[in-house]
Amino acid sequence: MDANTYSLKQILTQDRRYVIPTFQRDYEWTLDGQWALLFEDLVDTADRLFEARQQAKANGEPLAKADKKVPPHFLGAIVCDQLAAAAGGLDLRAVIDGQQRLTTVQLVLRGVLDVLIEHGSPRAKQVRRLLENHPDIIESPAERHKLWPRRKDRQVWPLAMADELPEQGAHLYLQARRYFAQRTRTATEGTEPERLDTLVDALLDLFKLVVIDLEDNDDAQVIFEVLNGRQTPLSAADLVKNLLFLRGELSDEKELEKVYDTYWAPFDEPWWKTEVGRGHAQRGRRDVLLSGWLTAVSRSEASISHLYGQVRGYLDGAKRKTVDVLAELHDFGQAYRVVVGAEPAETESLRRSYHRLNALGITTATPLLMWLRTLPPGRLSTAEHALTVSAVESWVVRRLLVGANTRGYGKVFVDVLKAAAEEMGGDYSSLVNAVVRVLRGTDDTLWPDNDELVKAFATRKFYGSLTQERIRLILGAIDQHLQENNPKTEPAAFTYEKLQIEHVMPRDWRKHWPPVATDEAGKLLETQRRDEALHRIGNLTLVTPTFNKSVSNGSWAVKRPEFALQSKLQLNASLATYGAWTVETIDERSKTLADLAAEVWPRLSA
């Protein structure tokens, strides 16, 4: 990153075009908000410069020495991204932050120029150089202007910069120019003749900007967050939008407004701007979508914190048209809405898998899930699509159940995507097999097998190790499986997320569950075994709000009838049949639940 402080004269006398991306926000600075304060700062700076020069004259000192004693006025920062330009053509910069500030500077200069022309001042030529490029190097009327606004304002900008200013016109550009010209007249009328020159010198030499020119390895997002004090998350989507449409303009792509309305406009709706995620990872849905799209198309895991720079790098190498990229993003956007449950999926199997993956917060799988939905029609049957997504769900849940490390999931799903993409020329089964091969791993250990599930269910303390939301998901999925596969009963529907987790043997079991053993050693061993089994999944179940919570810590004789009343939950149908609830019973039920989990989340073979 090249960041330096420059005077306006240093910045704007170069032959260069500062281009405002097409879909940046409107020019919003106003008289009460910014114009008046800015010009007051200019007058104050000019007054200090005038007084310093007068003092230097009185003391017989050089004026240059006096000028150096006057502190400059800092206007803030602008961030520019260098754009490709034809050899020998004008240097191009995209203004990706600070467009309000830079636009206002140009309008101040134009207002001052009006007064210089009225006075027949020779300084007019110098100020004009900060507004216009040299006529010998421009190839079109637009290239005359140092600043070129977004497309919406390109008809009014030449009027705002012309020597003949229309007497009427409500556009803020025209209002600002009139205001700054009038303030210049007021500030210099009836004063010493050199007052106008001093004001020009203050504006050109003492008004300064920090100019940040991005280099190839710089990331605008990080720079913006630092400049803004990290007070609010930066929307990478807005940066990428500006980048895409600016590239389209510079490539002379046609009908960009129509392209915007067709493909990007939906992303500016409130739903897409809503933030998802938690803590420092919270981002707008548009940013999440862009990250997933870039991961999918680049076959490389994207970082949502460095998205702008990574998208820029991808576009530099891909050489794709703006309309093609936006059409693809639009397709991914539709896929994203289905994946997160905002739109219905084609089958209950797909809906269920998406729901569970979302509930588990496995966002690293989203690029793969979106990509599968954007495959050409007929490339992947609905059944094979559902099987592939259920394989991803099974892989995630089985690893959750055995307590496997979750680090590196992003890389695994990128590898899955690469393998699936390589099979695009094959039949349906080859794509599914490619996914399964990567999920199982080269040594067949990434995807836990049934024996590992049985071991985890028999030994792992689920309660306390997993969140209650995740325990509800696991037990709820098993109950749903039992409901659908029990021909003797009518399936009952439950909102499992709202059910309560109940310890069959209560956490405070010592009050009403005395040890069966009679000797002290036996009691000690039984107490130890109960404490070890207490939070295992075999001792956990779900209950509806009708469950009498007053019996939760009661004896088995008291709790057993309550579980009989909960038998519409198939998970509880067998509980009341047990005459006693012991560690051995918990072990037995743990094995049963492990077998059921293996059915709900089968481990596929390649």
Side-chain angles (χ1 to χ4, degrees):
M1 179 182 69
D2 182 19
N4 291 288
T5 302
Y6 298 106
S7 68
L8 296 186
K9 183 167 66 179
Q10 290 172 314
I11 299 167
L12 295 171
T13 51
Q14 301 178 65
D15 287 314
R16 174 179 293 170
R17 294 180 74 203
Y18 290 93
V19 182
I20 308 297
T22 293
F23 293 102
Q24 282 245 27
R25 60 191 173 98
D26 291 344
Y27 178 69
E28 296 173 341
W29 281 20
T30 60
L31 170 60
D32 294 332
Q34 293 85 15
W35 300 346
L37 291 174
L38 178 61
F39 205 87
E40 286 170 12
D41 290 335
L42 176 58
V43 171
D44 289 344
T45 305
D47 285 347
R48 290 195 299 270
L49 180 60
F50 183 81
E51 291 169 5
R53 287 177 173 178
Q54 292 298 105
Q55 187 66 42
K57 286 180 181 179
N59 296 336
E61 296 175 350
L63 293 185
K65 184 177 179 180
D67 290 359
K68 290 182 179 180
K69 293 180 181 179
V70 180
H73 177 75
F74 289 95
L75 294 167
I78 62 172
V79 181
C80 299
D81 196 1
Q82 187 164 357
L83 301 172
L90 278 170
D91 191 25
L92 289 176
R93 293 287 192 279
V95 182
I96 58 176
D97 187 42
Q99 61 121 334
Q100 305 279 332
R101 184 172 291 110
L102 190 57
T103 301
T104 306
V105 163
Q106 289 277 291
L107 293 166
V108 173
L109 288 165
R110 183 61 250 196
V112 171
L113 177 57
D114 288 343
V115 179
L116 291 173
I117 292 173
E118 292 168 6
H119 283 254
S121 170
R123 302 293 299 276
K125 183 177 181 181
Q126 181 186 17
V127 173
R128 191 182 294 277
R129 284 289 291 125
L130 278 72
L131 296 168
E132 300 175 2
N133 290 307
H134 196 281
D136 289 347
I137 62 170
I138 64 175
E139 296 182 356
S140 68
E143 290 187 349
R144 169 188 172 191
H145 302 285
K146 293 287 177 73
L147 180 75
W148 196 230
R150 61 191 194 138
R151 184 183 291 260
K152 181 180 177 181
D153 296 330
R154 288 178 187 171
Q155 288 186 331
V156 71
W157 185 254
L159 296 176
M161 291 292 108
D163 285 345
E164 296 295 329
L165 177 65
E167 294 183 3
Q168 302 297 322
H171 196 286
L172 283 174
Y173 291 163
L174 305 178
Q175 292 184 45
R177 175 179 167 181
R178 293 191 192 101
Y179 172 78
F180 290 126
Q182 185 55 43
R183 283 298 306 268
T184 303
R185 295 184 191 101
T186 303
T188 57
E189 280 178 353
T191 62
E192 297 85 344
E194 60 264 37
R195 277 283 187 175
L196 181 56
D197 284 340
T198 305
L199 186 141
V200 171
D201 289 335
L203 179 59
L204 271 56
D205 293 313
L206 295 180
F207 263 38
K208 297 192 175 186
L209 282 167
V210 176
V211 180
I212 300 173
D213 277 315
L214 298 184
E215 297 173 346
D216 288 342
N217 60 341
D218 290 330
D219 195 310
Q221 282 177 256
V222 176
I223 293 168
F224 273 35
E225 288 174 358
V226 172
L227 289 176
N228 295 329
R230 299 185 182 273
Q231 295 175 2
T232 55
L234 175 73
S235 171
D238 287 327
L239 290 173
V240 171
K241 173 181 70 174
N242 291 334
L243 175 68
L244 283 167
F245 282 100
L246 185 55
R247 284 174 177 256
E249 284 184 59
L250 297 175
S251 300
D252 291 326
E253 293 188 39
K254 307 301 182 186
E255 298 186 317
L256 287 179
E257 285 87 354
K258 183 178 179 180
V259 170
Y260 172 86
D261 292 338
T262 303
Y263 297 124
W264 186 273
F267 297 138
D268 284 333
E269 294 174 358
W271 187 88
W272 280 105
K273 294 182 179 181
T274 302
E275 292 187 339
V276 292
R278 296 177 182 175
H280 70 278
Q282 196 171 48
R283 293 284 181 175
R285 288 191 178 104
R286 298 187 304 176
D287 288 4
V288 176
L289 167 67
L290 282 168
S291 176
W293 161 78
L294 183 61
T295 296
V297 298
S298 67
R299 311 288 194 263
S300 178
E301 192 174 3
S303 167
I304 203 165
S305 299
H306 302 277
L307 199 52
Y308 173 80
Q310 291 178 348
V311 171
R312 184 177 60 172
Y314 167 75
L315 294 175
D316 285 342
K319 308 297 182 186
R320 301 178 63 188
K321 289 185 176 180
T322 295
V323 64
D324 295 334
V325 173
L326 287 168
E328 185 174 64
L329 265 174
H330 184 264
D331 290 344
F332 269 77
Q334 292 179 314
Y336 178 83
R337 285 183 59 83
V338 178
V339 168
V340 301
E343 300 287 346
E346 296 83 348
T347 68
E348 175 60 19
S349 173
L350 277 171
R351 186 207 64 79
R352 190 176 293 172
S353 290
Y354 291 150
H355 174 75
R356 290 172 182 167
L357 289 167
N358 287 322
L360 293 172
I362 309 299
T363 57
T364 47
T366 303
L368 171 65
L369 301 179
M370 289 194 296
W371 177 80
L372 289 169
R373 296 196 63 80
T374 60
L375 292 178
R379 175 64 195 87
L380 192 65
S381 72
T382 302
E384 294 291 338
H385 186 181
L387 182 62
T388 305
V389 175
S390 67
V392 173
E393 179 198 347
S394 170
W395 185 88
V396 167
V397 175
R398 281 183 175 242
R399 289 181 62 84
L400 171 73
L401 294 175
V402 303
N405 196 330
T406 60
R407 290 180 64 86
Y409 275 21
K411 182 182 182 305
V412 171
F413 290 126
V414 168
D415 289 342
V416 169
L417 202 153
K418 287 179 182 177
E422 289 173 1
E423 296 293 341
M424 285 289 287
D427 57 20
Y428 299 148
S429 60
S430 64
L431 188 150
V432 178
N433 288 339
V435 171
V436 171
R437 266 197 318 274
V438 177
L439 292 178
R440 291 180 73 108
T442 55
D443 55 358
D444 207 29
T445 59
L446 284 180
W447 197 344
D449 60 22
N450 293 354
D451 290 340
E452 291 175 272
L453 289 186
V454 171
K455 181 180 178 180
F457 276 46
T459 60
R460 190 180 181 202
K461 293 183 178 181
F462 276 73
Y463 195 90
S465 297
L466 298 182
T467 64
Q468 294 197 21
E469 291 79 8
R470 290 185 169 188
I471 294 173
R472 287 191 193 94
L473 185 148
I474 294 162
L475 293 176
I478 291 173
D479 183 80
Q480 194 168 34
H481 176 70
L482 290 170
Q483 297 277 355
E484 294 170 352
N485 289 277
N486 187 346
K488 297 180 181 180
T489 61
E490 187 71 23
F494 294 95
T495 304
Y496 294 103
E497 294 89 343
K498 295 183 178 180
L499 300 186
Q500 296 297 312
I501 299 170
E502 178 73 11
H503 284 71
V504 181
M505 180 175 65
R507 283 175 284 180
D508 191 16
W509 61 266
R510 286 170 173 78
K511 288 183 179 179
H512 303 291
W513 294 60
V516 177
T518 56
D519 61 296
E520 290 303 315
K523 289 180 180 180
L524 182 63
L525 178 61
E526 189 173 349
T527 297
Q528 180 182 348
R529 292 186 64 211
R530 284 185 178 184
D531 285 340
E532 289 174 349
L534 182 63
H535 296 313
R536 291 175 189 158
I537 199 165
N539 191 48
L540 304 177
T541 193
L542 297 176
V543 293
T544 69
T546 63
F547 185 80
N548 185 356
K549 298 298 289 183
S550 67
V551 306
S552 284
N553 288 322
S555 66
W556 178 239
V558 173
K559 295 190 75 172
R560 184 180 176 187
E562 282 297 320
F563 283 122
L565 296 175
Q566 293 282 315
S567 60
K568 282 192 175 181
L569 279 162
Q570 292 295 307
L571 198 62
N572 297 329
S574 62
L575 283 181
T577 65
Y578 288 98
W581 192 257
T582 65
V583 172
E584 289 74 21
T585 312
I586 292 172
D587 290 341
E588 179 184 333
R589 186 165 179 267
S590 293
K591 173 64 167 62
T592 300
L593 292 177
D595 293 340
L596 289 169
E599 294 176 11
V600 176
W601 296 289
R603 182 177 187 253
L604 303 186
S605 300

PDB file of all heavy atoms in Angstrom, residues 529-541:
ATOM      1  N   ARG A 529     -19.894 -45.265  38.592  1.00  0.00           N
ATOM      2  CA  ARG A 529     -20.422 -45.658  37.283  1.00  0.00           C
ATOM      3  C   ARG A 529     -21.625 -44.802  36.888  1.00  0.00           C
ATOM      4  O   ARG A 529     -21.789 -44.439  35.734  1.00  0.00           O
ATOM      5  CB  ARG A 529     -20.804 -47.141  37.288  1.00  0.00           C
ATOM      6  CG  ARG A 529     -19.612 -48.087  37.408  1.00  0.00           C
ATOM      7  CD  ARG A 529     -20.060 -49.528  37.269  1.00  0.00           C
ATOM      8  NE  ARG A 529     -20.604 -49.768  35.942  1.00  0.00           N
ATOM      9  CZ  ARG A 529     -21.580 -50.659  35.686  1.00  0.00           C
ATOM     10  NH1 ARG A 529     -22.129 -51.353  36.669  1.00  0.00           N
ATOM     11  NH2 ARG A 529     -22.013 -50.821  34.455  1.00  0.00           N
ATOM     12  N   ARG A 530     -22.460 -44.459  37.863  1.00  0.00           N
ATOM     13  CA  ARG A 530     -23.611 -43.604  37.569  1.00  0.00           C
ATOM     14  C   ARG A 530     -23.157 -42.202  37.140  1.00  0.00           C
ATOM     15  O   ARG A 530     -23.700 -41.631  36.189  1.00  0.00           O
ATOM     16  CB  ARG A 530     -24.529 -43.507  38.793  1.00  0.00           C
ATOM     17  CG  ARG A 530     -25.372 -44.740  39.020  1.00  0.00           C
ATOM     18  CD  ARG A 530     -26.345 -44.519  40.165  1.00  0.00           C
ATOM     19  NE  ARG A 530     -27.208 -45.681  40.368  1.00  0.00           N
ATOM     20  CZ  ARG A 530     -28.211 -45.723  41.252  1.00  0.00           C
ATOM     21  NH1 ARG A 530     -28.460 -44.651  42.008  1.00  0.00           N
ATOM     22  NH2 ARG A 530     -28.952 -46.808  41.372  1.00  0.00           N
ATOM     23  N   ASP A 531     -22.179 -41.678  37.861  1.00  0.00           N
ATOM     24  CA  ASP A 531     -21.670 -40.346  37.499  1.00  0.00           C
ATOM     25  C   ASP A 531     -21.069 -40.338  36.093  1.00  0.00           C
ATOM     26  O   ASP A 531     -21.205 -39.360  35.356  1.00  0.00           O
ATOM     27  CB  ASP A 531     -20.630 -39.879  38.516  1.00  0.00           C
ATOM     28  CG  ASP A 531     -21.255 -39.439  39.830  1.00  0.00           C
ATOM     29  OD1 ASP A 531     -22.463 -39.140  39.827  1.00  0.00           O
ATOM     30  OD2 ASP A 531     -20.527 -39.406  40.849  1.00  0.00           O
ATOM     31  N   GLU A 532     -20.410 -41.442  35.725  1.00  0.00           N
ATOM     32  CA  GLU A 532     -19.813 -41.539  34.391  1.00  0.00           C
ATOM     33  C   GLU A 532     -20.887 -41.661  33.310  1.00  0.00           C
ATOM     34  O   GLU A 532     -20.732 -41.142  32.200  1.00  0.00           O
ATOM     35  CB  GLU A 532     -18.876 -42.737  34.325  1.00  0.00           C
ATOM     36  CG  GLU A 532     -17.591 -42.568  35.132  1.00  0.00           C
ATOM     37  CD  GLU A 532     -16.752 -43.833  35.161  1.00  0.00           C
ATOM     38  OE1 GLU A 532     -17.282 -44.893  34.724  1.00  0.00           O
ATOM     39  OE2 GLU A 532     -15.606 -43.786  35.622  1.00  0.00           O
ATOM     40  N   ALA A 533     -21.989 -42.340  33.624  1.00  0.00           N
ATOM     41  CA  ALA A 533     -23.039 -42.590  32.628  1.00  0.00           C
ATOM     42  C   ALA A 533     -24.058 -41.456  32.551  1.00  0.00           C
ATOM     43  O   ALA A 533     -24.839 -41.381  31.593  1.00  0.00           O
ATOM     44  CB  ALA A 533     -23.762 -43.900  32.941  1.00  0.00           C
ATOM     45  N   LEU A 534     -24.062 -40.574  33.546  1.00  0.00           N
ATOM     46  CA  LEU A 534     -25.126 -39.588  33.696  1.00  0.00           C
ATOM     47  C   LEU A 534     -25.355 -38.740  32.442  1.00  0.00           C
ATOM     48  O   LEU A 534     -26.502 -38.522  32.036  1.00  0.00           O
ATOM     49  CB  LEU A 534     -24.789 -38.674  34.892  1.00  0.00           C
ATOM     50  CG  LEU A 534     -25.818 -37.609  35.245  1.00  0.00           C
ATOM     51  CD1 LEU A 534     -27.134 -38.260  35.673  1.00  0.00           C
ATOM     52  CD2 LEU A 534     -25.277 -36.711  36.363  1.00  0.00           C
ATOM     53  N   HIS A 535     -24.277 -38.266  31.809  1.00  0.00           N
ATOM     54  CA  HIS A 535     -24.409 -37.336  30.678  1.00  0.00           C
ATOM     55  C   HIS A 535     -24.213 -38.016  29.321  1.00  0.00           C
ATOM     56  O   HIS A 535     -24.098 -37.329  28.310  1.00  0.00           O
ATOM     57  CB  HIS A 535     -23.409 -36.193  30.832  1.00  0.00           C
ATOM     58  CG  HIS A 535     -23.657 -35.337  32.031  1.00  0.00           C
ATOM     59  ND1 HIS A 535     -24.904 -34.859  32.360  1.00  0.00           N
ATOM     60  CD2 HIS A 535     -22.811 -34.871  32.994  1.00  0.00           C
ATOM     61  CE1 HIS A 535     -24.827 -34.128  33.462  1.00  0.00           C
ATOM     62  NE2 HIS A 535     -23.576 -34.128  33.869  1.00  0.00           N
ATOM     63  N   ARG A 536     -24.182 -39.355  29.332  1.00  0.00           N
ATOM     64  CA  ARG A 536     -24.111 -40.051  28.045  1.00  0.00           C
ATOM     65  C   ARG A 536     -25.459 -39.977  27.355  1.00  0.00           C
ATOM     66  O   ARG A 536     -26.509 -39.793  27.978  1.00  0.00           O
ATOM     67  CB  ARG A 536     -23.689 -41.500  28.255  1.00  0.00           C
ATOM     68  CG  ARG A 536     -22.244 -41.659  28.710  1.00  0.00           C
ATOM     69  CD  ARG A 536     -21.902 -43.083  29.016  1.00  0.00           C
ATOM     70  NE  ARG A 536     -20.583 -43.181  29.660  1.00  0.00           N
ATOM     71  CZ  ARG A 536     -20.194 -44.202  30.395  1.00  0.00           C
ATOM     72  NH1 ARG A 536     -21.021 -45.237  30.593  1.00  0.00           N
ATOM     73  NH2 ARG A 536     -18.986 -44.212  30.939  1.00  0.00           N
ATOM     74  N   ILE A 537     -25.415 -40.175  26.027  1.00  0.00           N
ATOM     75  CA  ILE A 537     -26.636 -39.967  25.251  1.00  0.00           C
ATOM     76  C   ILE A 537     -27.711 -40.984  25.580  1.00  0.00           C
ATOM     77  O   ILE A 537     -28.910 -40.716  25.454  1.00  0.00           O
ATOM     78  CB  ILE A 537     -26.321 -39.972  23.736  1.00  0.00           C
ATOM     79  CG1 ILE A 537     -27.470 -39.305  22.967  1.00  0.00           C
ATOM     80  CG2 ILE A 537     -26.008 -41.386  23.248  1.00  0.00           C
ATOM     81  CD1 ILE A 537     -27.112 -38.944  21.546  1.00  0.00           C
ATOM     82  N   GLY A 538     -27.307 -42.166  26.087  1.00  0.00           N
ATOM     83  CA  GLY A 538     -28.299 -43.172  26.466  1.00  0.00           C
ATOM     84  C   GLY A 538     -29.162 -42.743  27.628  1.00  0.00           C
ATOM     85  O   GLY A 538     -30.244 -43.300  27.850  1.00  0.00           O
ATOM     86  N   ASN A 539     -28.726 -41.753  28.401  1.00  0.00           N
ATOM     87  CA  ASN A 539     -29.500 -41.254  29.540  1.00  0.00           C
ATOM     88  C   ASN A 539     -30.243 -39.952  29.214  1.00  0.00           C
ATOM     89  O   ASN A 539     -30.812 -39.332  30.096  1.00  0.00           O
ATOM     90  CB  ASN A 539     -28.575 -41.031  30.747  1.00  0.00           C
ATOM     91  CG  ASN A 539     -29.338 -40.783  32.025  1.00  0.00           C
ATOM     92  OD1 ASN A 539     -30.278 -41.521  32.366  1.00  0.00           O
ATOM     93  ND2 ASN A 539     -28.975 -39.721  32.749  1.00  0.00           N
ATOM     94  N   LEU A 540     -30.213 -39.560  27.938  1.00  0.00           N
ATOM     95  CA  LEU A 540     -30.854 -38.302  27.538  1.00  0.00           C
ATOM     96  C   LEU A 540     -32.045 -38.596  26.640  1.00  0.00           C
ATOM     97  O   LEU A 540     -32.024 -39.537  25.833  1.00  0.00           O
ATOM     98  CB  LEU A 540     -29.869 -37.405  26.793  1.00  0.00           C
ATOM     99  CG  LEU A 540     -28.559 -37.056  27.502  1.00  0.00           C
ATOM    100  CD1 LEU A 540     -27.674 -36.215  26.589  1.00  0.00           C
ATOM    101  CD2 LEU A 540     -28.834 -36.330  28.813  1.00  0.00           C
ATOM    102  N   THR A 541     -33.063 -37.776  26.760  1.00  0.00           N
ATOM    103  CA  THR A 541     -34.202 -37.883  25.862  1.00  0.00           C
ATOM    104  C   THR A 541     -34.820 -36.510  25.690  1.00  0.00           C
ATOM    105  O   THR A 541     -34.370 -35.529  26.290  1.00  0.00           O
ATOM    106  CB  THR A 541     -35.243 -38.898  26.399  1.00  0.00           C
ATOM    107  OG1 THR A 541     -36.178 -39.193  25.366  1.00  0.00           O
ATOM    108  CG2 THR A 541     -35.972 -38.359  27.623  1.00  0.00           C
TER     109      THR A 541
END
